[in-house]
Amino acid sequence: MNAFTAIRSRRGVLAVAAALACAAVPAWAQQASGPIRIGMITDRVGPAKPYAEPVAQGAVFAVKQLNANGGLLGRPVELLVEDDQGRPDVSATAARKLVDSGVAFILSVSLTPATQQAQNVTMETKTPHMTPSNSGDTLTTQINNPNFWQTGPLGSTQIATLLSYAKAKNYKRVALITDNSDLGQLTNKFFKAGLEKAGVQVAVEEVVPRGSTTAEPQMQKLRAANPDAIFMTGVLTPENALILRAYRQLGLKAPVLGNYNLSVPQTSSVAKGLLDGVVFVDAFDPDKPETKRFIEAFKKDQGTEPYNLNGYGYDGVMLVADAIKRAGSTDKEKVREAMQATKGFAGVMGAKGSSYGFPEGKRTGFDPNGMVVRVYEGDKQGKVVHVGAK
């Protein structure tokens, strides 16, 4: 459910980085048992690329760190990467290829339909499989695959967190503005239902079509409705930038609340100069101790400051490593049992004090109260102003 000028300049870098993460293996790694292989299915050329590549970059960094600290079970870790182009049929083929290559675990960093199709393979082969970043609410329910887990925050959790912030601010009448993409329309629908359930009146709804050159007509209608706050529920970054530009040009004063799309770095470049004071929901708290250590280590190694998408990939690999350590083996059933037993794993993502864990019978592991609301200070993603969905 799942910017990126820097990412574009790194075309092909992930393949090299994945190789480097496993290169120059020290003497301790040269064992007959060979490396522990983790597979990753990502999207390097398709619609999920802007999100998938930075998630994959975080995973590559995690493997590099593991190997620098002795690997797993006294063996090096090797990351095998496959590109599914965001296509379900290709994703299934990639999963089959990784299984045949002897991976102990597969991470999916692609679109929801592609990840669902790959699940058919991992269910059949009983291969542990997880998506560390996808937020689709149906990923663990449409297919009853006991070998699959999801650690990205559910879309419903993201919405509930932003609605909790709105409730704390005592907003009574709000406006919704979205785009006409399928996901934008679905997100708007969920926001509207949540607001109405909370007793908040939706005074006006507007849609900015994909490819528009201005959002002034829609924002003029929002201004006329005089809402207490404006919810941006669209997922298309160019259209969101148009909305923010019209908001500034028309002199609207109602606070703007952005969904998770406003947390991706592309927003800061595309909507430069338009973001100050806008709040948005995120899963990345820079003041969390685990996150601070990750930021410092990533900057030292990569030369750039990481952001939320990098953190998802990093946590995904580290959760897999933790399960393999506790299993004491790469036996698929033992690893499956260990992953399902995960509790209290404090990762890079999530608010201070939050942790990953899988309640009995559940395979979604992000803390329901682990999301935060942050505010833009100029064009920089700033401080946390609200925590959790309570």
Side-chain angles (χ1 to χ4, degrees):
M1 274 128 319
N2 308 72
F4 297 109
T5 300
I7 296 301
R8 290 193 194 100
S9 69
R10 295 178 181 176
R11 184 183 300 271
V13 166
L14 285 178
V16 175
L20 289 175
C22 307
V25 178
W28 58 262
Q30 307 298 333
Q31 297 187 17
S33 54
I36 290 177
R37 291 177 168 175
I38 297 173
M40 180 168 64
I41 303 172
T42 188
D43 179 4
R44 289 176 172 153
V45 298
K49 175 183 175 178
Y51 300 90
E53 283 203 326
V55 174
Q57 185 184 9
V60 168
F61 176 63
V63 170
K64 186 174 182 179
Q65 273 204 332
L66 287 171
N67 283 331
N69 290 287
L72 284 175
L73 308 181
R75 297 159 61 185
V77 180
E78 183 179 3
L79 187 65
L80 303 183
V81 183
E82 293 291 329
D83 177 13
D84 72 358
Q85 306 166 40
R87 293 171 50 188
D89 57 332
V90 178
S91 200
T93 301
R96 182 72 63 180
K97 182 177 178 180
L98 290 170
V99 170
D100 291 344
S101 297
V103 298
F105 213 109
I106 293 176
L107 296 175
S108 274
V109 184
S110 189
L111 297 177
T112 295
T115 301
Q116 293 285 46
Q117 195 64 33
Q119 274 202 67
N120 291 322
V121 175
T122 55
M123 181 166 62
E124 175 198 337
T125 60
K126 298 182 179 180
T127 302
H129 180 196
M130 181 171 72
T131 177
S133 53
N134 198 304
S135 61
D137 278 69
T138 59
L139 275 163
T140 63
T141 57
Q142 284 189 344
I143 300 175
N144 185 23
N145 180 3
N147 309 289
F148 179 83
W149 300 269
Q150 176 181 9
T151 52
L154 297 178
S156 56
T157 298
Q158 299 174 26
I159 291 170
T161 303
L162 202 56
L163 291 179
S164 173
Y165 172 80
K167 182 178 179 181
K169 290 292 185 179
N170 201 32
Y171 298 139
K172 301 296 186 183
R173 295 176 68 256
V174 302
L176 297 177
I177 185 160
T178 187
D179 54 57
N180 63 349
S181 69
D182 290 343
L183 182 56
Q185 291 291 296
L186 183 62
T187 303
N188 190 75
K189 178 181 176 181
F190 285 142
F191 265 100
K192 184 177 182 181
L195 286 162
E196 291 177 342
K197 184 177 180 180
V200 179
Q201 179 188 356
V202 177
V204 61
E205 292 180 72
E206 286 296 321
V207 177
V208 178
R210 183 195 297 265
S212 295
T213 57
T214 180
E216 284 196 20
Q218 293 86 354
M219 295 304 289
Q220 285 173 345
K221 292 178 181 178
L222 264 63
R223 183 174 63 178
N226 193 28
D228 296 333
I230 298 170
F231 280 80
M232 291 178 61
T233 60
V235 299
L236 302 177
T237 300
E239 283 66 29
N240 279 339
L242 291 177
I243 291 167
L244 291 169
R245 184 170 292 109
Y247 173 87
R248 301 295 182 188
Q249 290 174 344
L250 294 172
L252 277 72
K253 300 300 182 184
V256 175
L257 287 66
N259 69 18
Y260 191 65
N261 183 261
L262 263 66
S263 74
V264 298
Q266 185 183 24
T267 302
S268 296
S269 57
V270 174
K272 188 173 183 179
L274 304 172
L275 289 161
D276 189 48
V278 173
V279 301
F280 61 98
V281 67
D282 198 1
F284 198 69
D285 182 354
D287 287 331
K288 184 179 181 181
E290 295 82 1
T291 310
K292 283 184 175 180
R293 289 194 293 270
F294 167 69
I295 292 172
E296 182 180 348
F298 191 96
K299 283 174 66 175
K300 183 177 180 180
D301 184 78
Q302 303 281 312
T304 59
E305 186 162 334
Y307 51 95
N308 52 8
L309 298 178
N310 302 133
Y312 285 126
Y314 183 88
D315 276 358
V317 168
M318 290 306 187
L319 278 160
V320 170
D322 178 68
I324 291 173
K325 284 179 185 176
R326 286 185 286 109
S329 165
T330 57
D331 178 82
K332 289 182 178 181
E333 178 57 23
K334 290 181 179 179
V335 173
R336 187 201 69 78
E337 290 176 352
M339 180 58 76
Q340 188 61 55
T342 299
K343 287 182 176 62
F345 185 96
V348 166
M349 304 305 293
K352 281 187 283 188
S354 68
S355 60
Y356 294 103
F358 299 103
E360 186 174 351
K362 301 289 184 181
R363 289 176 285 111
T364 52
F366 191 87
D367 190 330
N369 285 298
M371 296 292 288
V372 300
V373 178
R374 299 172 66 188
V375 61
Y376 271 98
E377 298 166 346
D379 292 320
K380 183 177 175 59
Q381 296 180 1
K383 62 181 179 291
V384 171
V385 295
H386 183 83
V387 176
K390 294 180 179 179

